[in-house]
Amino acid sequence: MDGRTDPRSSRIETVFRRAARAPTRQSGGVLLVGDPLGGSSVLRVAGAGVLLWQLLDEDRTIAELVELLASELHVSRAEIEPHVTTMVQHLADANRLVGS
Amino acid sequence: MTGLRELGRRLVRDDEIATEPLSADAWAEFEAFVRHQRLEGVVVDAIATDRLRVTEEQRELALSAHLTAMERSVSIEALVGLVVDRLAEHGIAVCALKGVAACRLDRSRPELRSFFDADLLVRPEDLEQTYATMTTMGLRRRFVEPAAGFDRDFGKGSAFTSPDRREIDLHRTLAMGALGISVDPDELWSDSVSIEVAGRPMQALGAEARALHACVHAAASTTPPRWPTLIDLVELDRSGLELDRFIALCRSWRYDAVVLCALDLLATELGPALVPTIASTVGELRATRLQQMTLDAYRRPDTGYASRSVLAVPVIKGWRRRARFVRALAKPRRPYVEQVHGTTGARWRSAFEDVHALIRRRR
C-alpha cells in the first residue's frame, strides 16, 4: 500500500465515511465501536487502534494515517504501516460483516 | 465492612472510598450492588483516580463489567441511529430521554452513565407513523393499544423490541396514565436542546424538563429507583437549574407530589449530603390530595392499571375527550384484552378489586 492509495475509491471508503456515525465508548484503553448500520455487533479496538479509529473520523489516505500515527507514537513509518493496514482491513471486514 | 449503601454513596460523592482493597467476599457483594445500580462507570472512574484501591484482579473485573455495560449502551445507540435515520425520512423529529440524553448532557463523559434500553420521544401527531416505520424495520411492538388512537391521545407510547432483543421505549409523554396526560407535549418540546447520537442530530429535553422526568421516573414506581436516575437529578442541579422554570413546569404538569416524593427518595438512597438545591423550592410546592392519591396509585404494589386510569379522568381536558378515554377502557379491543388480561371476565374482576381497594384507602 503506498501513499497514492485513495481510500475513497476502495471498499475501505465505507468505513472511513461511516466512522463518525458509529456510537463509541472508551474504557481502560479499549474503544467500543457500535455498528454504523444499526446492528448489534460491537467492535473492541485496543491500544493504537483507539487512536487510529479517532483518526478515521475524517477522510484520510492510508499514507496520512501512517504519517500521523508514526508521529504520535514516535515510531518509524515502516514499523507502523503493517499495523495500520491490518487494522483498516479488520475494520473493513467488520463493516462488510454487518451488511454494507 | 462499611455498608454497601455507604460505599455507593461515597462513590457518587467523589469521596475516597477504600484505602485498602476490599476482601474477596466484600468485593463480590460490592460488585453485585454496583451491577444492580448500574454504577460500573463510576467504579472504573474511582479506580482510575485512585479513590478506590483494588487488587489487580478486582481492577480487571471492574473493567470487564464496565465494558459489558458499555457494549449494551453502544449497541442500543446503534439501533437508535438507524431509527432516527428512518424517521427522518418521514420528517419526524426524535427527542432522546433518560440514559441516551443524560450520558451526554448530565455527565462529564458518557462512559459514566449506562442504560439497557433507549427511551425516545416523538410528537403525538407523529406517533402512528413512527409505530408504522418501526414495525417495517422489523421491530415488534410489545403491547397493543385498547382503541385506535388511544396512545396518541392518552397513552405513554409503546415499547418495541428488535429480533436481537434490543429495546426502544417510544414515548409521546413521560409516563402512562394521569402523570403522562397532565404533561403538555408542547411544553416538553419547547426548550429542547440539540445533541448528537451516533453522528445523527437529535433533540433532548431542556434541563428543567429532564429534572422533572427524573423525578417522575424515580417516584412513580413500586420499587426504589435505581441510582443513575437520582444521580441525573443531582448532576442537573449541580449544573444549575432555572428554578422559576422548574416550578412553573411542575405546577403545569401537577407534579408537586412527584417532586416531593423524588427528593425524599433521593435523600434516603444517596444520603442528605447530595440533596439538590431544588429541595429549597419545596415550600413552593403544593401536593393536593388528588396528586397524592394519584402518586400512591403508582407506588403501591396492590394498585393496578384500573386505579391509575380512574385517577387520570380528572386530568383529561374536555368532556368529549374524557368520554373517549372512558369508552376506550370500558370496552377495549379484543387483542388488548387477550394480551393484557386473558379474558374480559378476568379484566373486570381485577379492575373491580383494584378500584375497590382505592376507594377503601380513600375512606
Side-chain angles (χ1 to χ4, degrees):
Chain A
M1 201 171 288
D2 61 48
R4 287 169 296 171
T5 305
D6 181 358
R8 283 166 292 194
S9 63
S10 73
R11 186 162 67 92
I12 291 166
E13 181 269 347
T14 53
V15 180
F16 280 64
R17 187 161 44 78
R18 288 180 177 143
R21 290 171 68 81
T24 57
R25 294 287 191 279
Q26 219 165 340
S27 181
V30 177
L31 182 73
L32 300 172
V33 184
D35 177 6
L37 299 175
S40 59
S41 60
V42 178
L43 186 66
R44 286 191 180 203
V45 185
V50 175
L51 181 57
L52 177 56
W53 182 266
Q54 287 162 348
L55 294 172
L56 286 171
D57 275 354
E58 289 176 28
D59 281 6
R60 295 176 202 273
T61 63
I62 299 291
E64 282 173 329
L65 286 175
V66 171
E67 186 69 42
L68 283 163
L69 279 166
S71 149
E72 191 69 33
L73 301 173
H74 307 291
V75 293
S76 71
R77 277 179 289 176
E79 195 180 338
I80 197 73
E81 185 172 328
H83 299 292
V84 173
T85 311
T86 306
M87 182 68 193
V88 169
Q89 191 57 50
H90 176 61
L91 290 170
D93 287 344
N95 203 44
R96 182 170 50 77
L97 285 173
V98 295
S100 68
Chain B
M1 173 191 167
T2 315
L4 286 175
R5 186 182 294 259
E6 185 49 35
L7 275 180
R9 286 174 175 178
R10 286 189 202 167
L11 264 181
V12 177
R13 286 200 305 257
D14 292 345
D15 289 350
E16 188 170 273
I17 299 151
T19 47
E20 292 299 322
L22 298 172
S23 68
D25 287 349
W27 177 264
E29 272 185 66
F30 181 63
E31 209 177 21
F33 172 80
V34 165
R35 191 169 49 243
H36 173 72
Q37 294 294 359
R38 299 180 186 162
L39 296 174
E40 295 91 346
V42 183
V43 169
V44 166
D45 190 57
I47 294 172
T49 52
D50 219 20
R51 289 183 296 115
L52 177 63
R53 311 278 156 72
V54 289
T55 64
E56 200 45 47
E57 187 191 359
Q58 289 168 352
R59 181 190 307 274
E60 290 301 317
L61 287 169
L63 272 174
S64 167
H66 187 225
L67 283 170
T68 303
M70 288 296 102
E71 270 186 344
R72 179 75 184 172
S73 300
V74 161
S75 94
I76 293 281
E77 281 189 357
L79 182 61
V80 169
L82 192 59
V83 168
V84 168
D85 282 348
R86 293 287 166 82
L87 294 179
E89 290 167 12
H90 296 278
I92 296 173
V94 182
C95 179
L97 304 173
K98 290 164 47 177
V100 176
C103 75
R104 289 171 168 77
L105 296 168
D106 307 320
R107 298 292 190 280
S108 54
R109 289 179 293 115
E111 285 81 3
L112 294 172
R113 170 75 153 94
S114 62
F115 43 87
F116 266 53
D117 65 357
D119 291 76
L120 304 179
L121 177 83
V122 296
R123 290 188 171 87
E125 59 270 27
D126 291 331
L127 195 68
E128 280 168 19
Q129 180 61 58
T130 304
Y131 280 177
T133 306
M134 289 175 72
T135 304
T136 58
M137 290 173 65
L139 298 166
R140 198 170 62 83
R141 186 171 159 181
R142 284 182 59 192
F143 298 104
V144 294
E145 55 187 345
F150 184 89
D151 284 356
R152 180 197 58 218
D153 295 336
F154 309 113
K156 183 185 92 168
S158 186
F160 282 78
T161 48
S162 67
D164 51 24
R165 298 186 175 196
R166 286 176 292 169
E167 188 167 310
I168 288 187
D169 201 0
L170 188 70
H171 293 241
R172 67 138 208 128
T173 183
L174 301 185
M176 58 79 60
L179 294 176
I181 294 171
S182 64
V183 175
D184 178 354
D186 289 338
E187 283 181 330
L188 273 180
W189 285 86
S190 65
D191 66 344
S192 60
V193 294
S194 298
I195 58 170
E196 194 180 276
V197 178
R200 282 81 164 180
M202 286 183 74
Q203 297 294 301
L205 299 178
E208 293 74 26
R210 289 206 303 285
L212 284 167
H213 191 195
C215 286
V216 74
H217 185 56
S221 171
T222 53
T223 53
R226 281 210 170 88
W227 284 18
T229 302
L230 301 173
I231 299 170
D232 291 348
L233 195 52
V234 171
E235 294 294 339
L236 275 157
D237 189 72
R238 275 179 184 162
S239 46
L241 289 169
E242 243 183 72
L243 291 185
D244 289 346
R245 172 140 182 92
F246 180 79
I247 291 169
L249 285 178
C250 178
R251 285 194 180 135
S252 169
W253 299 350
R254 307 180 197 194
Y255 270 19
D256 303 59
V258 163
V259 172
L260 293 170
C261 176
L263 291 173
D264 266 356
L265 288 165
L266 193 149
T268 306
E269 293 290 322
L270 301 187
L274 283 170
V275 169
T277 56
I278 49 170
S280 64
T281 66
V282 294
E284 298 192 44
L285 302 180
R286 298 277 176 273
T288 62
R289 190 160 177 232
L290 180 61
Q291 281 188 17
Q292 199 55 60
M293 271 181 72
T294 303
L295 184 60
D296 287 348
Y298 285 78
R299 294 185 52 73
R300 293 180 63 101
D302 60 342
T303 311
Y305 189 74
S307 290
R308 291 169 203 164
S309 300
V310 167
L311 289 162
V313 175
V315 179
I316 299 170
K317 288 177 184 159
W319 287 104
R320 282 189 181 171
R321 289 187 75 229
R322 283 184 189 176
R324 199 146 45 85
F325 177 80
V326 172
R327 198 165 50 240
L329 291 178
K331 202 167 182 227
R333 295 195 290 202
R334 182 173 288 278
Y336 171 81
V337 176
E338 286 173 356
Q339 185 182 35
V340 181
H341 302 277
T343 65
T344 305
R347 179 169 186 268
W348 279 108
R349 253 195 317 280
S350 139
F352 177 77
E353 285 166 11
D354 187 3
V355 174
H356 186 63
L358 175 75
I359 294 166
R360 245 193 350 252
R361 278 200 304 277
R362 200 179 169 190
R363 283 179 187 149

